[in-house]
């Protein structure tokens, strides 16, 4: 088996596997993957979320994903078990394509930390 080394290869494998596991093979987009990461980071298992909670889940995921880049820092868990982050550095002004690449890199890095690609 050849080693998967490029961001594109890792991203495609990640999308394929997550889509199979969570969407009956329908390709998940980046927002859906961010949402799944938010659920994982909240750690409250499978349950229904309200619309505002879904937005908060995506925020949790984005903070967690960008924390290693120095943009956010974990602060505390509130009484309901939701993590809170503080902004440590302003995000740079990126073009949409650059934003997408940054988020894909951060997502791949997150899953590398979970030994997903081994």
């Amino acid at each position: 088996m050849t080693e998967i080394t490029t961001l594109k290869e890792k991203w495609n494998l990640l999308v394929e596997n997550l889509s199979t596991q969570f969407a009956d093979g329908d390709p998940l987009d980046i927002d859906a993957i961010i949402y799944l990461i938010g659920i994982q980071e909240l750690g409250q298992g499978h349950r229904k979320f309200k619309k505002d909670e879904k937005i908060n889940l995506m925020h949790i995921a984005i903070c967690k994903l960008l924390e290693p880049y120095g943009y956010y820092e974990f602060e505390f868990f509130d009484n309901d078990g939701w993590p809170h982050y503080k902004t440590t550095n302003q995000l740079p002004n990126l073009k949409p394509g650059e934003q997408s690449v940054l988020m894909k890199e951060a997502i791949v890095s997150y899953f590398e930390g979970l030994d997903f690609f081994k």
Side-chain angles (χ1 to χ4, degrees), residues 33-89:
I33 294 170
I34 290 170
Y35 176 72
L36 289 173
I37 292 169
I39 292 171
Q40 175 69 25
E41 288 302 310
L42 180 60
Q44 294 184 3
H46 179 71
R47 69 175 182 89
K48 293 235 181 220
F49 292 99
K50 298 174 187 169
K51 184 178 180 179
D52 62 326
E53 289 178 321
K54 290 177 181 179
I55 293 168
N56 289 336
L57 286 168
M58 293 184 76
H59 178 71
I60 289 168
I62 290 168
C63 291
K64 177 67 177 181
L65 292 167
L66 296 179
E67 185 178 27
Y69 295 83
Y71 297 115
Y72 294 96
E73 182 179 313
F74 174 77
E75 279 194 297
F76 64 94
F77 287 101
D78 67 18
N79 292 337
D80 295 323
W82 288 72
H84 289 261
Y85 290 82
K86 68 178 180 179
T87 303
T88 53
N89 286 307

